[in-house]
Amino acid sequence: MAIAKAGGLSVDELAERLSRVCTFMGAGELEETARAAGAAELVAAVLAALRGDEPMARSVLERRLDTLDDRMAAAGFGNVTRGTRGMPTLPGNSPGHPVAHRWNCPAAHPCELLASAESHPEAPVCAMTGRPFVYGPSRL
């Protein structure tokens, strides 16, 4: 079950949103479309926080992601950090989270992207931070 932060997103929900940002950054699409939507400063602030260059409280990061989605949607690009989802799992119905060792996101607020050591003998590089992933235990 996801660990909830009072008044905010669960750890899993925030990681999922950050994974979407990372995917768009890796594809080279986010900065250009954010510029077109008038949201370049939001992307820059989020990336600075994830790199650890500018510490940002979790609640501020969540609000910035919300604002980024709002601006991108208003400009016709749709949501960037939120996917379309069905009904959420009810509390107590989680199947649990097994743990395995993988390459983990190095960001100050990590996303949920993982890479196996079998597929990546050397650490992949994070598209958001430019830093190599860190090897260690990961919840699956």
Side-chain angles (χ1 to χ4, degrees):
M1 180 161 60
I3 301 168
K5 187 88 170 172
L9 298 174
S10 74
V11 173
D12 291 343
E13 290 169 322
L14 180 59
E16 182 180 325
R17 289 179 77 180
L18 294 174
S19 294
R20 292 177 59 80
V21 172
C22 188
T23 299
F24 282 119
M25 282 298 296
E29 300 172 4
L30 184 57
E31 291 175 303
E32 182 180 327
T33 54
R35 220 177 352 269
E41 77 286 351
L42 286 167
V43 170
V46 166
L47 294 177
L50 295 173
R51 291 180 182 122
D53 298 338
E54 295 179 27
M56 184 180 294
R58 217 182 121 80
S59 60
V60 174
L61 178 58
E62 290 171 12
R63 284 194 304 272
R64 295 247 168 111
L65 292 174
D66 290 343
T67 303
L68 176 61
D69 275 341
D70 291 346
R71 286 196 192 166
M72 296 296 281
F77 294 106
N79 284 332
V80 171
T81 74
R82 288 189 184 108
T84 55
R85 303 188 87 183
M87 294 296 292
T89 302
L90 295 173
N93 289 341
S94 174
H97 294 281
V99 175
H101 283 74
R102 301 267 194 247
W103 293 108
N104 297 288
C105 178
H109 296 276
C111 74
E112 64 181 10
L113 296 180
L114 304 171
S116 72
E118 296 82 29
S119 300
H120 301 277
E122 295 190 28
V125 176
C126 174
M128 292 189 293
T129 67
R131 294 184 186 135
F133 277 46
V134 179
Y135 190 78
S138 305
R139 287 186 337 168
L140 300 178

